[in-house]
Amino acid sequence: MARNVEFNEQLAVSKAMDVFWRKGYNGTTMRDLTEAMGINSSSLYNTIGDKHELFVRSLKHYTESRMQAALKQLDPIKSPIKAIDKFIQSSVYVITNEPNSCLAIKTTFEVATNDEQVQKIIKADNDFTYNLLNGLVEKAIQKGEITVSQDAAMLTDYIINHFSGWHESFIIHKDKTRIKNMATFLLKQITQ
């Protein structure tokens, strides 16, 4: 029986995440959340807490899901540069096909600057991405798949910093080709 309550709570958090993703933290009302989750406000307060706690859980759900998906997608790829390419292409796909952009990036600018708890989640997500890519860059350098530099940390920062710019560009211009071209150019830059 307890398992059903946990599943329902997870499903409710997932539904709330979709609302926060679409409307942002500040644009989301308690009514938006309770309607999406199919519960009344007293049930929300009794099981999960307030809007902020629900947002924190939603953000954790979002970031942890992304982490698991990245590991699952990249693990079978034996070539580090091919795994980096897959990560970049997957990022391009998300940027150009997600109707609500990236919840982590949106949250960074909307909430994380003034909220330590949210900032901690965003930092953990960023650290995961950095460590994953840095490990791949190090392996690619060791295998001679990357020769442009021996500084894996700098190359990792160089790759990651492109993602925020691509999100911004796509939000403004809605030009998939532009983002794909920038990704192709980035990969050429690191594999010279």
Side-chain angles (χ1 to χ4, degrees):
M1 198 77 165
R3 192 175 183 116
N4 288 342
V5 172
E6 183 179 324
F7 174 78
N8 290 340
E9 210 171 293
Q10 290 175 347
L11 183 61
V13 168
S14 180
K15 288 180 179 182
M17 180 195 73
D18 291 337
V19 176
F20 285 124
W21 198 351
R22 191 174 65 252
K23 293 186 161 201
Y25 178 76
N26 293 319
T28 298
T29 65
M30 288 300 286
R31 184 176 186 164
D32 295 331
L33 294 168
T34 56
E35 285 178 5
M37 296 164 62
I39 61 173
N40 61 41
S41 57
S42 63
S43 294
L44 173 62
Y45 287 114
N46 290 333
T47 58
I48 295 173
D50 61 7
K51 176 182 168 182
H52 184 264
E53 180 59 30
L54 181 57
F55 181 70
V56 166
R57 284 181 163 192
S58 297
L59 186 59
K60 281 183 184 178
H61 174 71
Y62 175 81
T63 57
E64 289 169 2
S65 297
R66 287 192 336 160
M67 291 176 197
Q68 291 170 1
L71 291 173
K72 184 178 179 181
Q73 184 179 57
L74 300 180
D75 189 47
I77 302 173
K78 301 303 177 209
S79 163
I81 197 64
K82 287 184 180 178
I84 293 167
D85 181 39
K86 181 67 172 178
F87 189 89
I88 290 170
Q89 296 309 322
S90 295
S91 297
V92 167
Y93 180 83
V94 168
I95 290 166
T96 60
N97 289 286
E98 277 294 338
N100 300 312
S101 188
C102 172
L103 180 59
I105 289 176
K106 288 170 79 170
T107 299
T108 298
F109 294 105
E110 182 186 11
V111 183
T113 55
N114 299 316
D115 188 319
E116 287 183 31
Q117 192 175 12
V118 169
Q119 191 175 75
K120 185 177 175 182
I121 297 166
I122 297 297
K123 185 180 181 320
D125 181 57
N126 185 270
D127 289 348
F128 169 83
T129 301
Y130 178 87
N131 291 330
L132 177 68
L133 281 175
N134 192 58
L136 291 170
V137 170
E138 286 176 350
K139 289 176 187 172
I141 289 170
Q142 290 168 1
K143 288 187 166 194
E145 293 179 335
I146 292 178
T147 58
V148 68
S149 172
Q150 294 296 304
D151 188 344
M154 185 275 305
L155 281 174
T156 302
D157 283 332
Y158 180 71
I159 294 167
I160 289 173
N161 284 323
H162 282 78
F163 300 142
S164 297
W166 295 347
H167 275 282
E168 179 185 0
S169 178
F170 190 73
I171 288 168
I172 294 167
H173 302 287
K174 301 289 186 216
D175 187 343
K176 289 183 180 188
T177 302
R178 182 182 223 170
I179 306 304
K180 290 176 184 176
N181 289 342
M182 286 190 278
T184 299
F185 186 74
L186 170 62
L187 197 60
K188 285 180 184 175
Q189 292 299 303
I190 64 172
T191 56
Q192 287 183 352

